[in-house]
Amino acid sequence: MTASRKKGIFFASLGAILWGASGIAGQYLLINEEIAPEWLTFCRLLLAGILLLGLLSLQGKKIFEIWKDRSDRISILIFSVFGMMATQYGYFASIAESNAPTATVLEYINPILIIFWNCFREKRLPSKVEISCTVFAVAGTFLIATGGDFGSLAISPKALFWGLLAALACAIYTVVPVRIIRKYGAPMIIGWGMLLASFFMAPVTLCTDFTGSLSMHVILAFLFVVIFGTILSFCFYLGSVAYIQPAETSIIGAIEPVSSVIFSFFLFHLLFGTWQLAGMGLIILAVILVARK
């Protein structure tokens, strides 16, 4: 395995772990503190975008360089609206209507979408490895979320809609920015993507009543979501596509539910069942198969 490939797998894995931790913090804000998903999504995108672009500017980066090329402008706009904004809001809205594990199950339909998009683009059938990895990743996520009780995944129509939207958007934001990430780097693309997404999200947010209350716990959880679960997780996750294929990045991202279960154990004393351990094993197996491909 080459050094660049190892780097890509490490980045994708770390990004997924941080995103899993962010999901737990997000569920706390949405369900325990009753923060509206519109406000959480908007504030997360706005603050993270400003911080990321501000840091790049302080480092001497030419953050407005991307707007000089017409094709780059189109790519970043598509990425911002149909990738970044739709993924963030769809995921949080699905959590608000159900819970984090259920939203994660729905979101992880996206590896299938990416793999079959690649097959369509390359005019070929999926390989055995691609099919196996996708099946293992999705099945493992499903087992973690349901605990083996297949009849317990009760999904409301709203949760189903927003979860499927998040899955489609997740596939878009993994595939669309590959070219401009290689050209400008992941931090700049993510920064502009988040800032622009917050602008498009603003009208919806301003028409939504603010719910919940501000406390030190809420502020700390929100800052964790922004810094670790947004800036760092997206930089690592999307930065990995410069070294490995987008389909592989998406499959490796299935580590996210494993990290969610682990963090839930330490924070909420969640005990692992046999089916949950089996699900974790399937996801780890998918990652190993991707790494050895």
Side-chain angles (χ1 to χ4, degrees), residues 91 94 99-111 137-146 153 155 163-164 167 257:
Y91 181 62
S94 185
N99 52 61
T102 300
T104 303
V105 169
L106 295 173
E107 184 185 25
Y108 272 91
I109 298 174
N110 83 83
V138 174
T141 305
F142 186 75
L143 288 177
I144 289 175
T146 62
L153 193 64
I155 304 175
L164 292 176

mmCIF file with all atom_site columns, all heavy atoms in Angstrom, residues 91 94 99-111 137-146 153 155 163-164 167 257:
data_model
loop_
_atom_site.group_PDB
_atom_site.id
_atom_site.type_symbol
_atom_site.label_atom_id
_atom_site.label_alt_id
_atom_site.label_comp_id
_atom_site.label_asym_id
_atom_site.label_entity_id
_atom_site.label_seq_id
_atom_site.pdbx_PDB_ins_code
_atom_site.Cartn_x
_atom_site.Cartn_y
_atom_site.Cartn_z
_atom_site.occupancy
_atom_site.B_iso_or_equiv
_atom_site.pdbx_formal_charge
_atom_site.auth_seq_id
_atom_site.auth_comp_id
_atom_site.auth_asym_id
_atom_site.auth_atom_id
_atom_site.pdbx_PDB_model_num
ATOM 1   N N   . TYR A 1 91  ? -29.573 15.625 7.759  1.00 0.00 ? 91  TYR A N   1
ATOM 2   C CA  . TYR A 1 91  ? -29.112 14.765 8.850  1.00 0.00 ? 91  TYR A CA  1
ATOM 3   C C   . TYR A 1 91  ? -29.692 15.223 10.183 1.00 0.00 ? 91  TYR A C   1
ATOM 4   O O   . TYR A 1 91  ? -30.238 14.425 10.952 1.00 0.00 ? 91  TYR A O   1
ATOM 5   C CB  . TYR A 1 91  ? -27.587 14.784 8.888  1.00 0.00 ? 91  TYR A CB  1
ATOM 6   C CG  . TYR A 1 91  ? -26.986 13.916 9.972  1.00 0.00 ? 91  TYR A CG  1
ATOM 7   C CD1 . TYR A 1 91  ? -27.182 12.539 9.977  1.00 0.00 ? 91  TYR A CD1 1
ATOM 8   C CD2 . TYR A 1 91  ? -26.206 14.475 10.981 1.00 0.00 ? 91  TYR A CD2 1
ATOM 9   C CE1 . TYR A 1 91  ? -26.620 11.732 10.956 1.00 0.00 ? 91  TYR A CE1 1
ATOM 10  C CE2 . TYR A 1 91  ? -25.642 13.678 11.966 1.00 0.00 ? 91  TYR A CE2 1
ATOM 11  C CZ  . TYR A 1 91  ? -25.854 12.313 11.945 1.00 0.00 ? 91  TYR A CZ  1
ATOM 12  O OH  . TYR A 1 91  ? -25.297 11.524 12.924 1.00 0.00 ? 91  TYR A OH  1
ATOM 13  N N   . SER A 1 94  ? -33.484 14.673 10.338 1.00 0.00 ? 94  SER A N   1
ATOM 14  C CA  . SER A 1 94  ? -33.802 13.262 10.538 1.00 0.00 ? 94  SER A CA  1
ATOM 15  C C   . SER A 1 94  ? -33.577 12.851 11.985 1.00 0.00 ? 94  SER A C   1
ATOM 16  O O   . SER A 1 94  ? -34.360 12.079 12.558 1.00 0.00 ? 94  SER A O   1
ATOM 17  C CB  . SER A 1 94  ? -32.949 12.400 9.608  1.00 0.00 ? 94  SER A CB  1
ATOM 18  O OG  . SER A 1 94  ? -33.311 11.032 9.697  1.00 0.00 ? 94  SER A OG  1
ATOM 19  N N   . ASN A 1 99  ? -33.794 9.655  15.763 1.00 0.00 ? 99  ASN A N   1
ATOM 20  C CA  . ASN A 1 99  ? -32.622 9.642  16.636 1.00 0.00 ? 99  ASN A CA  1
ATOM 21  C C   . ASN A 1 99  ? -31.379 9.502  15.769 1.00 0.00 ? 99  ASN A C   1
ATOM 22  O O   . ASN A 1 99  ? -31.472 9.263  14.558 1.00 0.00 ? 99  ASN A O   1
ATOM 23  C CB  . ASN A 1 99  ? -32.699 8.505  17.661 1.00 0.00 ? 99  ASN A CB  1
ATOM 24  C CG  . ASN A 1 99  ? -32.971 7.164  17.005 1.00 0.00 ? 99  ASN A CG  1
ATOM 25  O OD1 . ASN A 1 99  ? -32.189 6.689  16.196 1.00 0.00 ? 99  ASN A OD1 1
ATOM 26  N ND2 . ASN A 1 99  ? -34.108 6.562  17.336 1.00 0.00 ? 99  ASN A ND2 1
ATOM 27  N N   . ALA A 1 100 ? -30.219 9.661  16.369 1.00 0.00 ? 100 ALA A N   1
ATOM 28  C CA  . ALA A 1 100 ? -28.970 9.639  15.604 1.00 0.00 ? 100 ALA A CA  1
ATOM 29  C C   . ALA A 1 100 ? -28.719 8.306  14.897 1.00 0.00 ? 100 ALA A C   1
ATOM 30  O O   . ALA A 1 100 ? -28.326 8.291  13.729 1.00 0.00 ? 100 ALA A O   1
ATOM 31  C CB  . ALA A 1 100 ? -27.795 10.000 16.507 1.00 0.00 ? 100 ALA A CB  1
ATOM 32  N N   . PRO A 1 101 ? -28.905 7.134  15.560 1.00 0.00 ? 101 PRO A N   1
ATOM 33  C CA  . PRO A 1 101 ? -28.678 5.867  14.852 1.00 0.00 ? 101 PRO A CA  1
ATOM 34  C C   . PRO A 1 101 ? -29.571 5.696  13.627 1.00 0.00 ? 101 PRO A C   1
ATOM 35  O O   . PRO A 1 101 ? -29.116 5.243  12.577 1.00 0.00 ? 101 PRO A O   1
ATOM 36  C CB  . PRO A 1 101 ? -28.990 4.813  15.922 1.00 0.00 ? 101 PRO A CB  1
ATOM 37  C CG  . PRO A 1 101 ? -28.733 5.495  17.211 1.00 0.00 ? 101 PRO A CG  1
ATOM 38  C CD  . PRO A 1 101 ? -29.181 6.902  16.999 1.00 0.00 ? 101 PRO A CD  1
ATOM 39  N N   . THR A 1 102 ? -30.843 6.044  13.745 1.00 0.00 ? 102 THR A N   1
ATOM 40  C CA  . THR A 1 102 ? -31.750 5.919  12.608 1.00 0.00 ? 102 THR A CA  1
ATOM 41  C C   . THR A 1 102 ? -31.315 6.815  11.457 1.00 0.00 ? 102 THR A C   1
ATOM 42  O O   . THR A 1 102 ? -31.293 6.397  10.286 1.00 0.00 ? 102 THR A O   1
ATOM 43  C CB  . THR A 1 102 ? -33.186 6.283  13.016 1.00 0.00 ? 102 THR A CB  1
ATOM 44  O OG1 . THR A 1 102 ? -33.618 5.399  14.051 1.00 0.00 ? 102 THR A OG1 1
ATOM 45  C CG2 . THR A 1 102 ? -34.130 6.170  11.838 1.00 0.00 ? 102 THR A CG2 1
ATOM 46  N N   . ALA A 1 103 ? -30.958 8.061  11.763 1.00 0.00 ? 103 ALA A N   1
ATOM 47  C CA  . ALA A 1 103 ? -30.494 8.984  10.729 1.00 0.00 ? 103 ALA A CA  1
ATOM 48  C C   . ALA A 1 103 ? -29.226 8.461  10.070 1.00 0.00 ? 103 ALA A C   1
ATOM 49  O O   . ALA A 1 103 ? -29.029 8.605  8.856  1.00 0.00 ? 103 ALA A O   1
ATOM 50  C CB  . ALA A 1 103 ? -30.234 10.362 11.340 1.00 0.00 ? 103 ALA A CB  1
ATOM 51  N N   . THR A 1 104 ? -28.357 7.834  10.856 1.00 0.00 ? 104 THR A N   1
ATOM 52  C CA  . THR A 1 104 ? -27.115 7.290  10.312 1.00 0.00 ? 104 THR A CA  1
ATOM 53  C C   . THR A 1 104 ? -27.385 6.145  9.353  1.00 0.00 ? 104 THR A C   1
ATOM 54  O O   . THR A 1 104 ? -26.752 6.025  8.303  1.00 0.00 ? 104 THR A O   1
ATOM 55  C CB  . THR A 1 104 ? -26.201 6.808  11.454 1.00 0.00 ? 104 THR A CB  1
ATOM 56  O OG1 . THR A 1 104 ? -25.948 7.885  12.345 1.00 0.00 ? 104 THR A OG1 1
ATOM 57  C CG2 . THR A 1 104 ? -24.876 6.305  10.907 1.00 0.00 ? 104 THR A CG2 1
ATOM 58  N N   . VAL A 1 105 ? -28.337 5.265  9.711  1.00 0.00 ? 105 VAL A N   1
ATOM 59  C CA  . VAL A 1 105 ? -28.702 4.157  8.822  1.00 0.00 ? 105 VAL A CA  1
ATOM 60  C C   . VAL A 1 105 ? -29.145 4.690  7.464  1.00 0.00 ? 105 VAL A C   1
ATOM 61  O O   . VAL A 1 105 ? -28.717 4.203  6.413  1.00 0.00 ? 105 VAL A O   1
ATOM 62  C CB  . VAL A 1 105 ? -29.827 3.309  9.446  1.00 0.00 ? 105 VAL A CB  1
ATOM 63  C CG1 . VAL A 1 105 ? -30.385 2.327  8.431  1.00 0.00 ? 105 VAL A CG1 1
ATOM 64  C CG2 . VAL A 1 105 ? -29.300 2.543  10.651 1.00 0.00 ? 105 VAL A CG2 1
ATOM 65  N N   . LEU A 1 106 ? -30.004 5.685  7.486  1.00 0.00 ? 106 LEU A N   1
ATOM 66  C CA  . LEU A 1 106 ? -30.496 6.241  6.230  1.00 0.00 ? 106 LEU A CA  1
ATOM 67  C C   . LEU A 1 106 ? -29.379 6.920  5.443  1.00 0.00 ? 106 LEU A C   1
ATOM 68  O O   . LEU A 1 106 ? -29.296 6.792  4.218  1.00 0.00 ? 106 LEU A O   1
ATOM 69  C CB  . LEU A 1 106 ? -31.620 7.245  6.515  1.00 0.00 ? 106 LEU A CB  1
ATOM 70  C CG  . LEU A 1 106 ? -32.891 6.658  7.129  1.00 0.00 ? 106 LEU A CG  1
ATOM 71  C CD1 . LEU A 1 106 ? -33.855 7.770  7.513  1.00 0.00 ? 106 LEU A CD1 1
ATOM 72  C CD2 . LEU A 1 106 ? -33.553 5.686  6.163  1.00 0.00 ? 106 LEU A CD2 1
ATOM 73  N N   . GLU A 1 107 ? -28.520 7.646  6.148  1.00 0.00 ? 107 GLU A N   1
ATOM 74  C CA  . GLU A 1 107 ? -27.444 8.366  5.471  1.00 0.00 ? 107 GLU A CA  1
ATOM 75  C C   . GLU A 1 107 ? -26.476 7.424  4.782  1.00 0.00 ? 107 GLU A C   1
ATOM 76  O O   . GLU A 1 107 ? -25.929 7.750  3.724  1.00 0.00 ? 107 GLU A O   1
ATOM 77  C CB  . GLU A 1 107 ? -26.688 9.223  6.488  1.00 0.00 ? 107 GLU A CB  1
ATOM 78  C CG  . GLU A 1 107 ? -25.602 10.084 5.869  1.00 0.00 ? 107 GLU A CG  1
ATOM 79  C CD  . GLU A 1 107 ? -24.790 10.821 6.918  1.00 0.00 ? 107 GLU A CD  1
ATOM 80  O OE1 . GLU A 1 107 ? -24.724 10.353 8.063  1.00 0.00 ? 107 GLU A OE1 1
ATOM 81  O OE2 . GLU A 1 107 ? -24.219 11.860 6.574  1.00 0.00 ? 107 GLU A OE2 1
ATOM 82  N N   . TYR A 1 108 ? -26.281 6.240  5.342  1.00 0.00 ? 108 TYR A N   1
ATOM 83  C CA  . TYR A 1 108 ? -25.294 5.336  4.772  1.00 0.00 ? 108 TYR A CA  1
ATOM 84  C C   . TYR A 1 108 ? -25.800 4.492  3.626  1.00 0.00 ? 108 TYR A C   1
ATOM 85  O O   . TYR A 1 108 ? -25.206 3.484  3.272  1.00 0.00 ? 108 TYR A O   1
ATOM 86  C CB  . TYR A 1 108 ? -24.658 4.474  5.884  1.00 0.00 ? 108 TYR A CB  1
ATOM 87  C CG  . TYR A 1 108 ? -23.477 5.216  6.436  1.00 0.00 ? 108 TYR A CG  1
ATOM 88  C CD1 . TYR A 1 108 ? -23.610 6.075  7.506  1.00 0.00 ? 108 TYR A CD1 1
ATOM 89  C CD2 . TYR A 1 108 ? -22.251 5.160  5.792  1.00 0.00 ? 108 TYR A CD2 1
ATOM 90  C CE1 . TYR A 1 108 ? -22.558 6.826  7.959  1.00 0.00 ? 108 TYR A CE1 1
ATOM 91  C CE2 . TYR A 1 108 ? -21.189 5.902  6.240  1.00 0.00 ? 108 TYR A CE2 1
ATOM 92  C CZ  . TYR A 1 108 ? -21.345 6.731  7.333  1.00 0.00 ? 108 TYR A CZ  1
ATOM 93  O OH  . TYR A 1 108 ? -20.298 7.484  7.760  1.00 0.00 ? 108 TYR A OH  1
ATOM 94  N N   . ILE A 1 109 ? -26.887 4.944  3.011  1.00 0.00 ? 109 ILE A N   1
ATOM 95  C CA  . ILE A 1 109 ? -27.252 4.442  1.683  1.00 0.00 ? 109 ILE A CA  1
ATOM 96  C C   . ILE A 1 109 ? -26.333 5.073  0.645  1.00 0.00 ? 109 ILE A C   1
ATOM 97  O O   . ILE A 1 109 ? -26.195 4.581  -0.467 1.00 0.00 ? 109 ILE A O   1
ATOM 98  C CB  . ILE A 1 109 ? -28.720 4.763  1.379  1.00 0.00 ? 109 ILE A CB  1
ATOM 99  C CG1 . ILE A 1 109 ? -29.630 4.071  2.397  1.00 0.00 ? 109 ILE A CG1 1
ATOM 100 C CG2 . ILE A 1 109 ? -29.115 4.335  -0.032 1.00 0.00 ? 109 ILE A CG2 1
ATOM 101 C CD1 . ILE A 1 109 ? -31.087 4.441  2.276  1.00 0.00 ? 109 ILE A CD1 1
ATOM 102 N N   . ASN A 1 110 ? -25.647 6.158  1.006  1.00 0.00 ? 110 ASN A N   1
ATOM 103 C CA  . ASN A 1 110 ? -24.851 6.915  0.029  1.00 0.00 ? 110 ASN A CA  1
ATOM 104 C C   . ASN A 1 110 ? -23.700 6.143  -0.608 1.00 0.00 ? 110 ASN A C   1
ATOM 105 O O   . ASN A 1 110 ? -23.377 6.402  -1.768 1.00 0.00 ? 110 ASN A O   1
ATOM 106 C CB  . ASN A 1 110 ? -24.366 8.224  0.652  1.00 0.00 ? 110 ASN A CB  1
ATOM 107 C CG  . ASN A 1 110 ? -23.103 8.070  1.479  1.00 0.00 ? 110 ASN A CG  1
ATOM 108 O OD1 . ASN A 1 110 ? -21.992 8.063  0.959  1.00 0.00 ? 110 ASN A OD1 1
ATOM 109 N ND2 . ASN A 1 110 ? -23.261 7.958  2.783  1.00 0.00 ? 110 ASN A ND2 1
ATOM 110 N N   . PRO A 1 111 ? -23.045 5.161  0.051  1.00 0.00 ? 111 PRO A N   1
ATOM 111 C CA  . PRO A 1 111 ? -22.009 4.412  -0.665 1.00 0.00 ? 111 PRO A CA  1
ATOM 112 C C   . PRO A 1 111 ? -22.556 3.684  -1.885 1.00 0.00 ? 111 PRO A C   1
ATOM 113 O O   . PRO A 1 111 ? -21.881 3.580  -2.919 1.00 0.00 ? 111 PRO A O   1
ATOM 114 C CB  . PRO A 1 111 ? -21.497 3.420  0.387  1.00 0.00 ? 111 PRO A CB  1
ATOM 115 C CG  . PRO A 1 111 ? -21.791 4.065  1.685  1.00 0.00 ? 111 PRO A CG  1
ATOM 116 C CD  . PRO A 1 111 ? -23.088 4.789  1.477  1.00 0.00 ? 111 PRO A CD  1
ATOM 117 N N   . ALA A 1 137 ? -20.878 -2.544 4.917  1.00 0.00 ? 137 ALA A N   1
ATOM 118 C CA  . ALA A 1 137 ? -21.006 -1.241 5.573  1.00 0.00 ? 137 ALA A CA  1
ATOM 119 C C   . ALA A 1 137 ? -22.452 -0.929 5.932  1.00 0.00 ? 137 ALA A C   1
ATOM 120 O O   . ALA A 1 137 ? -22.755 -0.510 7.052  1.00 0.00 ? 137 ALA A O   1
ATOM 121 C CB  . ALA A 1 137 ? -20.439 -0.145 4.674  1.00 0.00 ? 137 ALA A CB  1
ATOM 122 N N   . VAL A 1 138 ? -23.353 -1.136 4.991  1.00 0.00 ? 138 VAL A N   1
ATOM 123 C CA  . VAL A 1 138 ? -24.766 -0.841 5.231  1.00 0.00 ? 138 VAL A CA  1
ATOM 124 C C   . VAL A 1 138 ? -25.359 -1.810 6.251  1.00 0.00 ? 138 VAL A C   1
ATOM 125 O O   . VAL A 1 138 ? -26.087 -1.409 7.166  1.00 0.00 ? 138 VAL A O   1
ATOM 126 C CB  . VAL A 1 138 ? -25.561 -0.875 3.911  1.00 0.00 ? 138 VAL A CB  1
ATOM 127 C CG1 . VAL A 1 138 ? -27.051 -0.719 4.172  1.00 0.00 ? 138 VAL A CG1 1
ATOM 128 C CG2 . VAL A 1 138 ? -25.073 0.217  2.971  1.00 0.00 ? 138 VAL A CG2 1
ATOM 129 N N   . ALA A 1 139 ? -25.023 -3.097 6.112  1.00 0.00 ? 139 ALA A N   1
ATOM 130 C CA  . ALA A 1 139 ? -25.548 -4.098 7.043  1.00 0.00 ? 139 ALA A CA  1
ATOM 131 C C   . ALA A 1 139 ? -25.028 -3.858 8.454  1.00 0.00 ? 139 ALA A C   1
ATOM 132 O O   . ALA A 1 139 ? -25.774 -3.967 9.439  1.00 0.00 ? 139 ALA A O   1
ATOM 133 C CB  . ALA A 1 139 ? -25.159 -5.503 6.571  1.00 0.00 ? 139 ALA A CB  1
ATOM 134 N N   . GLY A 1 140 ? -23.763 -3.506 8.577  1.00 0.00 ? 140 GLY A N   1
ATOM 135 C CA  . GLY A 1 140 ? -23.194 -3.235 9.890  1.00 0.00 ? 140 GLY A CA  1
ATOM 136 C C   . GLY A 1 140 ? -23.840 -2.050 10.558 1.00 0.00 ? 140 GLY A C   1
ATOM 137 O O   . GLY A 1 140 ? -24.161 -2.077 11.755 1.00 0.00 ? 140 GLY A O   1
ATOM 138 N N   . THR A 1 141 ? -24.055 -0.990 9.790  1.00 0.00 ? 141 THR A N   1
ATOM 139 C CA  . THR A 1 141 ? -24.725 0.195  10.323 1.00 0.00 ? 141 THR A CA  1
ATOM 140 C C   . THR A 1 141 ? -26.144 -0.136 10.775 1.00 0.00 ? 141 THR A C   1
ATOM 141 O O   . THR A 1 141 ? -26.608 0.307  11.826 1.00 0.00 ? 141 THR A O   1
ATOM 142 C CB  . THR A 1 141 ? -24.761 1.307  9.265  1.00 0.00 ? 141 THR A CB  1
ATOM 143 O OG1 . THR A 1 141 ? -23.438 1.565  8.819  1.00 0.00 ? 141 THR A OG1 1
ATOM 144 C CG2 . THR A 1 141 ? -25.360 2.581  9.835  1.00 0.00 ? 141 THR A CG2 1
ATOM 145 N N   . PHE A 1 142 ? -26.822 -0.952 9.993  1.00 0.00 ? 142 PHE A N   1
ATOM 146 C CA  . PHE A 1 142 ? -28.198 -1.333 10.312 1.00 0.00 ? 142 PHE A CA  1
ATOM 147 C C   . PHE A 1 142 ? -28.261 -2.140 11.609 1.00 0.00 ? 142 PHE A C   1
ATOM 148 O O   . PHE A 1 142 ? -29.135 -1.925 12.455 1.00 0.00 ? 142 PHE A O   1
ATOM 149 C CB  . PHE A 1 142 ? -28.788 -2.149 9.159  1.00 0.00 ? 142 PHE A CB  1
ATOM 150 C CG  . PHE A 1 142 ? -30.242 -2.468 9.328  1.00 0.00 ? 142 PHE A CG  1
ATOM 151 C CD1 . PHE A 1 142 ? -31.208 -1.500 9.123  1.00 0.00 ? 142 PHE A CD1 1
ATOM 152 C CD2 . PHE A 1 142 ? -30.636 -3.746 9.700  1.00 0.00 ? 142 PHE A CD2 1
ATOM 153 C CE1 . PHE A 1 142 ? -32.556 -1.799 9.284  1.00 0.00 ? 142 PHE A CE1 1
ATOM 154 C CE2 . PHE A 1 142 ? -31.973 -4.044 9.856  1.00 0.00 ? 142 PHE A CE2 1
ATOM 155 C CZ  . PHE A 1 142 ? -32.938 -3.076 9.651  1.00 0.00 ? 142 PHE A CZ  1
ATOM 156 N N   . LEU A 1 143 ? -27.319 -3.057 11.791 1.00 0.00 ? 143 LEU A N   1
ATOM 157 C CA  . LEU A 1 143 ? -27.293 -3.869 13.005 1.00 0.00 ? 143 LEU A CA  1
ATOM 158 C C   . LEU A 1 143 ? -27.008 -3.023 14.239 1.00 0.00 ? 143 LEU A C   1
ATOM 159 O O   . LEU A 1 143 ? -27.595 -3.234 15.305 1.00 0.00 ? 143 LEU A O   1
ATOM 160 C CB  . LEU A 1 143 ? -26.242 -4.971 12.872 1.00 0.00 ? 143 LEU A CB  1
ATOM 161 C CG  . LEU A 1 143 ? -26.578 -6.127 11.916 1.00 0.00 ? 143 LEU A CG  1
ATOM 162 C CD1 . LEU A 1 143 ? -25.416 -7.100 11.833 1.00 0.00 ? 143 LEU A CD1 1
ATOM 163 C CD2 . LEU A 1 143 ? -27.837 -6.850 12.367 1.00 0.00 ? 143 LEU A CD2 1
ATOM 164 N N   . ILE A 1 144 ? -26.121 -2.043 14.101 1.00 0.00 ? 144 ILE A N   1
ATOM 165 C CA  . ILE A 1 144 ? -25.823 -1.159 15.233 1.00 0.00 ? 144 ILE A CA  1
ATOM 166 C C   . ILE A 1 144 ? -27.056 -0.356 15.623 1.00 0.00 ? 144 ILE A C   1
ATOM 167 O O   . ILE A 1 144 ? -27.361 -0.179 16.805 1.00 0.00 ? 144 ILE A O   1
ATOM 168 C CB  . ILE A 1 144 ? -24.653 -0.220 14.891 1.00 0.00 ? 144 ILE A CB  1
ATOM 169 C CG1 . ILE A 1 144 ? -23.348 -1.010 14.831 1.00 0.00 ? 144 ILE A CG1 1
ATOM 170 C CG2 . ILE A 1 144 ? -24.532 0.901  15.921 1.00 0.00 ? 144 ILE A CG2 1
ATOM 171 C CD1 . ILE A 1 144 ? -22.164 -0.188 14.371 1.00 0.00 ? 144 ILE A CD1 1
ATOM 172 N N   . ALA A 1 145 ? -27.784 0.120  14.636 1.00 0.00 ? 145 ALA A N   1
ATOM 173 C CA  . ALA A 1 145 ? -28.944 0.975  14.902 1.00 0.00 ? 145 ALA A CA  1
ATOM 174 C C   . ALA A 1 145 ? -30.127 0.192  15.464 1.00 0.00 ? 145 ALA A C   1
ATOM 175 O O   . ALA A 1 145 ? -30.887 0.712  16.280 1.00 0.00 ? 145 ALA A O   1
ATOM 176 C CB  . ALA A 1 145 ? -29.360 1.706  13.629 1.00 0.00 ? 145 ALA A CB  1
ATOM 177 N N   . THR A 1 146 ? -30.307 -1.061 15.027 1.00 0.00 ? 146 THR A N   1
ATOM 178 C CA  . THR A 1 146 ? -31.480 -1.827 15.441 1.00 0.00 ? 146 THR A CA  1
ATOM 179 C C   . THR A 1 146 ? -31.187 -2.798 16.569 1.00 0.00 ? 146 THR A C   1
ATOM 180 O O   . THR A 1 146 ? -32.123 -3.270 17.233 1.00 0.00 ? 146 THR A O   1
ATOM 181 C CB  . THR A 1 146 ? -32.035 -2.628 14.244 1.00 0.00 ? 146 THR A CB  1
ATOM 182 O OG1 . THR A 1 146 ? -31.042 -3.568 13.802 1.00 0.00 ? 146 THR A OG1 1
ATOM 183 C CG2 . THR A 1 146 ? -32.406 -1.698 13.104 1.00 0.00 ? 146 THR A CG2 1
ATOM 184 N N   . LEU A 1 153 ? -37.056 -0.587 13.958 1.00 0.00 ? 153 LEU A N   1
ATOM 185 C CA  . LEU A 1 153 ? -36.665 0.627  13.248 1.00 0.00 ? 153 LEU A CA  1
ATOM 186 C C   . LEU A 1 153 ? -37.923 1.319  12.724 1.00 0.00 ? 153 LEU A C   1
ATOM 187 O O   . LEU A 1 153 ? -38.245 1.253  11.544 1.00 0.00 ? 153 LEU A O   1
ATOM 188 C CB  . LEU A 1 153 ? -35.714 0.292  12.098 1.00 0.00 ? 153 LEU A CB  1
ATOM 189 C CG  . LEU A 1 153 ? -34.979 1.472  11.458 1.00 0.00 ? 153 LEU A CG  1
ATOM 190 C CD1 . LEU A 1 153 ? -34.048 2.139  12.455 1.00 0.00 ? 153 LEU A CD1 1
ATOM 191 C CD2 . LEU A 1 153 ? -34.197 1.013  10.241 1.00 0.00 ? 153 LEU A CD2 1
ATOM 192 N N   . ILE A 1 155 ? -39.723 4.309  11.474 1.00 0.00 ? 155 ILE A N   1
ATOM 193 C CA  . ILE A 1 155 ? -39.311 5.564  10.861 1.00 0.00 ? 155 ILE A CA  1
ATOM 194 C C   . ILE A 1 155 ? -40.536 6.344  10.422 1.00 0.00 ? 155 ILE A C   1
ATOM 195 O O   . ILE A 1 155 ? -41.375 5.841  9.677  1.00 0.00 ? 155 ILE A O   1
ATOM 196 C CB  . ILE A 1 155 ? -38.397 5.313  9.641  1.00 0.00 ? 155 ILE A CB  1
ATOM 197 C CG1 . ILE A 1 155 ? -37.190 4.478  10.049 1.00 0.00 ? 155 ILE A CG1 1
ATOM 198 C CG2 . ILE A 1 155 ? -37.951 6.626  9.028  1.00 0.00 ? 155 ILE A CG2 1
ATOM 199 C CD1 . ILE A 1 155 ? -36.311 4.092  8.890  1.00 0.00 ? 155 ILE A CD1 1
ATOM 200 N N   . GLY A 1 163 ? -33.753 11.729 5.946  1.00 0.00 ? 163 GLY A N   1
ATOM 201 C CA  . GLY A 1 163 ? -32.630 10.797 5.943  1.00 0.00 ? 163 GLY A CA  1
ATOM 202 C C   . GLY A 1 163 ? -32.180 10.426 4.538  1.00 0.00 ? 163 GLY A C   1
ATOM 203 O O   . GLY A 1 163 ? -30.986 10.360 4.245  1.00 0.00 ? 163 GLY A O   1
ATOM 204 N N   . LEU A 1 164 ? -33.154 10.179 3.652  1.00 0.00 ? 164 LEU A N   1
ATOM 205 C CA  . LEU A 1 164 ? -32.818 9.853  2.261  1.00 0.00 ? 164 LEU A CA  1
ATOM 206 C C   . LEU A 1 164 ? -32.215 11.064 1.552  1.00 0.00 ? 164 LEU A C   1
ATOM 207 O O   . LEU A 1 164 ? -31.307 10.923 0.722  1.00 0.00 ? 164 LEU A O   1
ATOM 208 C CB  . LEU A 1 164 ? -34.060 9.367  1.517  1.00 0.00 ? 164 LEU A CB  1
ATOM 209 C CG  . LEU A 1 164 ? -34.614 8.011  1.971  1.00 0.00 ? 164 LEU A CG  1
ATOM 210 C CD1 . LEU A 1 164 ? -35.901 7.682  1.221  1.00 0.00 ? 164 LEU A CD1 1
ATOM 211 C CD2 . LEU A 1 164 ? -33.576 6.904  1.772  1.00 0.00 ? 164 LEU A CD2 1
ATOM 212 N N   . ALA A 1 167 ? -28.654 11.231 2.529  1.00 0.00 ? 167 ALA A N   1
ATOM 213 C CA  . ALA A 1 167 ? -27.868 10.212 1.832  1.00 0.00 ? 167 ALA A CA  1
ATOM 214 C C   . ALA A 1 167 ? -27.499 10.672 0.419  1.00 0.00 ? 167 ALA A C   1
ATOM 215 O O   . ALA A 1 167 ? -26.347 10.544 -0.014 1.00 0.00 ? 167 ALA A O   1
ATOM 216 C CB  . ALA A 1 167 ? -28.648 8.899  1.767  1.00 0.00 ? 167 ALA A CB  1
ATOM 217 N N   . PRO A 1 257 ? -20.793 5.342  12.561 1.00 0.00 ? 257 PRO A N   1
ATOM 218 C CA  . PRO A 1 257 ? -21.689 4.770  13.576 1.00 0.00 ? 257 PRO A CA  1
ATOM 219 C C   . PRO A 1 257 ? -20.960 4.003  14.672 1.00 0.00 ? 257 PRO A C   1
ATOM 220 O O   . PRO A 1 257 ? -21.430 3.944  15.805 1.00 0.00 ? 257 PRO A O   1
ATOM 221 C CB  . PRO A 1 257 ? -22.609 3.848  12.762 1.00 0.00 ? 257 PRO A CB  1
ATOM 222 C CG  . PRO A 1 257 ? -21.864 3.576  11.509 1.00 0.00 ? 257 PRO A CG  1
ATOM 223 C CD  . PRO A 1 257 ? -21.087 4.816  11.225 1.00 0.00 ? 257 PRO A CD  1
#
